């Protein structure tokens, strides 16, 4: 899910967005509205781009694929359509459990609790 945020404008000392949002208070109102919007309309880049990514993997002829930050495995499922094996990294333990259970019957999918920096560097 994409979260939209607002950072202090340069030169404002973190005091808001004069001329844009009318100060810190109005920026807070905007952030609150954006948060409510995101809660009602979640968006996943993996879901949005999965067909394109899957087509690129298939066209490349890749057999062994790595998904970094796999979440619950939506992109893993798409990648599995064309790849021989899919290894997937996910740092969040609860999400790893969901993804691992989802692919428990598929020996060609491996879900690992790790981020990219914490992965097993010896494993390919």
């Amino acid at each position: 899910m994409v979260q939209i945020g607002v950072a202090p404008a340069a030169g404002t000392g973190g005091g808001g967005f004069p001329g844009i949002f009318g100060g810190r208070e109005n920026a807070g109102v905007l952030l609150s509205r954006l948060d409510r919007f995101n809660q009602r309309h979640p968006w996943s880049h993996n879901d949005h781009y999965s067909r394109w990514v899957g087509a690129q993997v298939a066209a490349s002829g890749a057999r062994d694929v790595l998904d970094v930050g796999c979440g619950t495995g939506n992109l893993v499922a798409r990648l599995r359509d064309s790849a021989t094996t899919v290894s997937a990294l996910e740092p969040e333990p609860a999400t790893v459990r969901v993804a691992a259970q989802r692919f428990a019957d598929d020996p060609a999918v491996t879900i690992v609790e790790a981020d990219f920096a914490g992965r097993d560097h010896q494993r390919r």
Side-chain angles (χ1 to χ4, degrees):
M1 174 168 50
V2 171
Q3 294 291 320
I4 300 171
V6 180
T12 65
F17 300 85
I20 299 174
F21 300 117
R24 178 177 281 171
E25 296 78 23
N26 287 339
V29 170
L30 175 65
L31 289 174
S32 176
R33 288 180 182 163
L34 287 171
D35 183 55
R36 285 195 311 269
F37 179 84
N38 284 333
Q39 295 298 321
R40 290 190 310 265
H41 306 284
W43 186 82
S44 165
H45 66 282
N46 276 346
D47 293 341
H48 184 78
Y49 291 109
S50 67
R51 284 188 181 157
W52 181 85
V53 171
Q56 299 304 306
V57 168
S60 76
R63 297 180 350 185
D64 303 306
V65 180
L66 174 64
D67 182 0
V68 178
C70 72
T72 59
N74 292 350
L75 184 57
V76 171
R78 175 76 66 175
L79 294 170
R80 185 63 181 97
D81 290 342
S82 58
T84 303
T85 64
V86 178
S87 296
L89 306 177
E90 172 58 44
E92 179 60 40
T95 308
V96 169
R97 285 190 294 275
V98 171
Q101 184 168 356
R102 180 176 180 179
F103 297 100
D105 294 331
D106 189 343
V109 174
T110 303
I111 309 294
V112 178
E113 184 180 328
D115 60 11
F116 188 73
R119 75 193 185 285
D120 179 356
H121 295 272
Q122 301 302 311
R123 184 182 168 141
R124 204 177 128 79

